[in-house]
Amino acid sequence: MKPFVDAHCHYDAAAFAKYSGAGYFICNAARESDWAPLLSGAARNRHIIPALGLHPWYVTAAADGWAGRLRDILEKYPDVMVGEIGLDAGRENMDVQYDAFVTQYQMAASLGRGVHIHCVRAWDRMTHVLKTCTPPPIVVMHRYSGSAQIMADLISSDANIYFSYNNACGGRLHNLIDITPSDRILVETDAAKPDSDTIFDAISQMAATRGVSIDEMAQILYDNGQKVIKNG
Ligand SMILES: [Zn+2]
């Protein structure tokens, strides 16, 4: 099996314990209760790259003091990234989400860590933060769903931004996948289990969309994924 990087997934301890295939998996936490299991999984398996943070769906329920505890862990583990953080207009707590997102984005920048971002229909606020705050070394827009214009704007900003896609490459995503620069594109599953079949399905769809061979697409995605893992 060819090597690959799943640029955005989650962590199911039992599923990863059974997996012995190829690949690197950037596993994102969603809640504080995910942090310790993910750190211990990553300590046992170098193919698991952990990102710790609070997902916008779970910020309201987070226990007081979470940001200090997150910072303490990040200071102790210099290779850990920050994710999954972001903004989701499908939820009603946008002000709480915004505060938590900016806190984590700035924390990542100050500690020199990459961030993994979820953004659904909140592009005005998102682009405001990305264009006005000091950027972290790497910014991954997971399952990118903004416009071509927002992509162009973000690429021209100071942030080192990547755009990640899964195996749903139809509709308007077809155009986004086609126009994403070769040095900015990533592939992901967003699954909780290691899933190489879905990754290779996505890679072959992306190759067809961009009119390149599957091998060439796989290599581009692997090289970009490794850059993210190596923090630039
Ligand atoms: Zn996710």
Side-chain angles (χ1 to χ4, degrees), residues 8 10 84 142 190:
H8 183 102
H10 293 272
E84 174 172 357
H142 132 67
D190 203 15

Side-chain angles (χ1 to χ4, degrees), residues 143-159:
R143 182 75 164 89
Y144 180 65
S145 61
S147 67
Q149 182 58 49
I150 291 168
M151 181 191 290
D153 270 8
L154 293 176
I155 288 170
S156 70
S157 73
D158 292 340

